[in-house]
Amino acid sequence: MPEPRVADTVSIPEALTQPEKRGIELVEDSERHGRARDLFSVWAAPSVSVLSFTIGASLILLGLELWQVFAVIIAANLLWILTGLVAISGPAAGTSGSVITRAIYGIRGNKVIVAFYGWFISAVFLALNWLAASFMGAELLAGTGFTDPVLGPVLITVVVAAITVLVAVYGHGLILRIYPVVASVLLVIFLLVTAFILPHVNWNYAPAESLQGLPLWSAVTIGFAILASGPLSFSNSPDMARYLPRSTKPSHIIAATALGGALPGIFFTAVGALLATGIGAAAMEPGIEAALLALLPAWLGPIFVAGVIINTISLNGMTTYTASMAFQSIGIPIRRIPSAVVVGVIGAALTVYLVTSTSLLEAVNLLLQLLILISAPTMAIFATDVILRRNRYNGADLFQERPGGAFWYTGGWNIPGLLAAVLGAGAASLFLNTSLYVGPLSAAMGNIDLSVPVALAVTSGVYVLWSRLAPAPLSPPVRTAEDVPA
């Protein structure tokens, strides 16, 4: 199949009855539509999540006081500003984030980064999100008498995966139109659940032993790292903004994206922390979901589970949509729709494997715990490049994939970008503190986890310094698709 041409055009906006045909091809100015504020609900829908309850409860289990937990939640969610900052490159370039990063890593270097991060890890995320929905959905089936512990979750996985892929196939138009409704429905469901949680809150909660000194900073920094992994993993935000008119104010894009992700996250993570003060650690041993369901009336339990499944579909729908374009950006000759199906099949297969086997669970947990080593450097370098380049990305130049192109650099590799990402990850690993791995410098400092600030600072610092010493073509002349030979 021939490589997608940057001059391909698609009628915009597409009808909801038609799948989105566009892949990584440029969105011409004549095809741009929408408003920045539309992005708020796009990011709010996946952020109204049961994972927020879980993470909030885990912060209490670290031994923090309530005010300390709230401070950590707010501080970590400020990183959504980076997600918003990266999003403004979408309208500027008119293509997906996995293509825009060619400007950072070079044409060939970008393939390595995207091949590993852009779709492989996306597939793992699909599996883990579907796994939670599968087990909770199986509880609904159990209420009807279908109690098979393996077949139930597998059936739910297949159904939920199919719906998720369908969302990705219909793409941007469907997401933009239905996610406001999804966000509203999820907000109502989770607020109802919150109403039944609040009576169980211990408003006078205090940990058995107040943390001081290094133990306190260890708990605070570990909690911050856990929460920070959320916004730092959404470097796909340009994909959702690329259809906006080029004239859309960047500040509006940043605000809509950041607030859409941060506000639900702050609120429901705080509710999860409040929940943990009332039910205690022992009640959460079977899982926060089981503890939650035990607090809810019989009529609300199924509705809550349905909300979890809807949230999973909304979150994984965006992930599948982005991953489908990642295949194209690394040169695999496949259109976006079959690509979305392939990604969905990979994620569903991983989910079924996890459902039927526990041998892989530790490996997947390790991958998630170490994900910050990838997400923090790649987000830092993307945001830094947006600032250095003053958001001047020329989509047509990004598709020059041969020697002499604007982003060919050294044999297709941009050494400053690749080196900054590697050094950022390496430095962060020295300060990482997880249940499976503790970096040597973290251990020497009393188990304080500085992986996130170190990754952000080192990656950004190296990239800026090297760019100053060996300036790259940060601002090629603006051109359009018509300037590029077919």
Side-chain angles (χ1 to χ4, degrees):
M1 179 178 295
E3 179 183 318
R5 295 171 54 184
V6 297
D8 289 348
T9 59
V10 179
S11 177
I12 297 295
E14 295 186 9
L16 288 180
T17 56
Q18 296 180 350
E20 180 186 356
K21 299 181 181 67
R22 186 188 304 279
I24 60 175
E25 300 90 341
L26 288 179
V27 183
E28 299 297 332
D29 289 341
S30 61
E31 302 172 294
R32 305 296 187 93
H33 62 92
R35 299 160 299 183
R37 63 173 179 249
D38 297 333
L39 294 174
F40 179 88
S41 56
V42 167
W43 290 101
S47 296
V48 182
S49 172
V50 69
L51 294 179
S52 297
F53 288 148
T54 305
I55 294 173
S58 69
L59 296 180
I60 289 294
L61 297 181
L62 288 174
L64 297 175
E65 299 179 15
L66 271 177
W67 73 268
Q68 295 166 340
V69 169
F70 296 154
V72 170
I73 291 172
I74 293 173
N77 276 278
L78 289 176
L79 292 174
W80 275 99
I81 294 174
L82 296 179
T83 311
L85 177 61
V86 166
I88 68 175
S89 65
T95 186
S96 72
S98 57
V99 174
I100 297 171
T101 49
R102 291 173 177 176
I104 301 173
Y105 304 110
I107 300 299
R108 288 176 172 168
N110 189 60
K111 292 180 180 181
V112 175
I113 297 294
V114 174
F116 181 67
Y117 179 74
W119 73 269
F120 175 73
I121 293 180
S122 295
V124 174
F125 264 122
L126 292 177
L128 293 174
N129 288 318
W130 279 334
L131 186 66
S134 297
F135 280 120
M136 295 194 73
E139 294 191 27
L140 287 180
L141 290 179
T144 66
F146 190 89
T147 57
D148 191 302
V150 174
L151 186 57
V154 169
L155 289 175
I156 295 295
T157 297
V158 172
V159 173
V160 172
I163 298 173
T164 301
V165 171
L166 194 62
V167 170
V169 165
Y170 277 82
H172 181 271
L174 179 65
I175 291 172
L176 204 64
R177 288 170 173 84
I178 69 168
Y179 274 37
V181 177
V182 170
S184 299
V185 171
L186 290 176
L187 183 62
V188 170
I189 293 174
F190 277 71
L191 285 178
L192 276 173
V193 172
T194 299
F196 285 93
I197 289 175
L198 292 180
H200 299 274
V201 172
N202 178 9
W203 296 101
N204 296 317
Y205 169 80
E209 183 177 351
S210 182
L211 297 178
Q212 303 289 336
L214 288 179
L216 172 60
W217 283 108
S218 175
V220 167
T221 54
I222 290 173
F224 179 83
I226 293 172
L227 282 167
S229 63
L232 291 177
S233 67
F234 287 119
S235 57
N236 64 334
S237 55
D239 300 358
M240 306 313 305
R242 64 191 176 125
Y243 279 99
L244 291 175
R246 196 184 302 272
S247 60
T248 307
K249 290 185 177 180
S251 60
H252 293 180
I253 297 174
I254 294 172
T257 300
L259 292 175
L263 292 182
I266 291 173
F267 181 80
F268 291 110
T269 305
V271 171
L274 292 173
L275 169 66
T277 67
I279 62 177
M284 290 188 290
E285 286 184 1
I288 187 72
E289 296 84 3
L292 272 170
L293 290 174
L295 298 179
L296 303 180
W299 62 269
L300 184 55
I303 295 176
F304 174 59
V305 174
V308 171
I309 293 175
I310 292 172
N311 168 260
T312 299
I313 292 172
S314 64
L315 177 57
N316 280 0
M318 288 176 58
T319 303
T320 306
Y321 176 71
T322 294
S324 68
M325 289 184 285
F327 269 121
Q328 292 185 314
S329 70
I330 62 178
I332 297 178
I334 186 173
R335 292 293 184 182
R336 194 191 67 78
I337 292 176
S339 178
V341 174
V342 171
V343 172
V345 169
I346 294 173
L350 285 172
T351 307
V352 170
Y353 187 80
L354 285 171
V355 166
T356 58
S357 173
T358 58
S359 62
L360 189 62
L361 190 56
E362 289 186 2
V364 173
N365 283 340
L366 174 62
L367 179 62
L368 281 182
Q369 289 177 306
L370 299 181
L371 182 61
I372 200 72
L373 301 181
I374 302 171
S375 60
T378 50
M379 176 63 85
I381 199 170
F382 202 162
T384 302
D385 192 72
V386 170
I387 295 172
L388 289 178
R389 204 178 297 273
R390 289 180 287 178
N391 198 36
R392 292 187 293 186
Y393 294 93
N394 301 302
D397 289 326
L398 291 166
F399 285 89
Q400 292 183 329
E401 301 181 60
R402 56 180 62 90
F407 303 113
W408 186 253
Y409 298 115
T410 305
W413 306 83
N414 185 25
I415 304 303
L418 294 167
L419 184 64
V422 171
L423 290 179
S429 69
L430 301 177
F431 293 89
L432 190 68
N433 184 354
T434 72
S435 60
L436 298 177
Y437 167 80
V438 178
L441 295 183
S442 174
M445 297 171 60
N447 293 326
I448 293 177
D449 188 330
L450 297 178
S451 57
V452 172
V454 167
L456 297 178
V458 171
T459 305
S460 182
V462 169
Y463 191 58
V464 170
L465 180 61
W466 200 309
S467 297
R468 299 301 184 195
L469 294 177
L474 289 176
S475 302
V478 176
R479 298 193 294 160
T480 62
E482 285 74 12
D483 297 319
V484 180

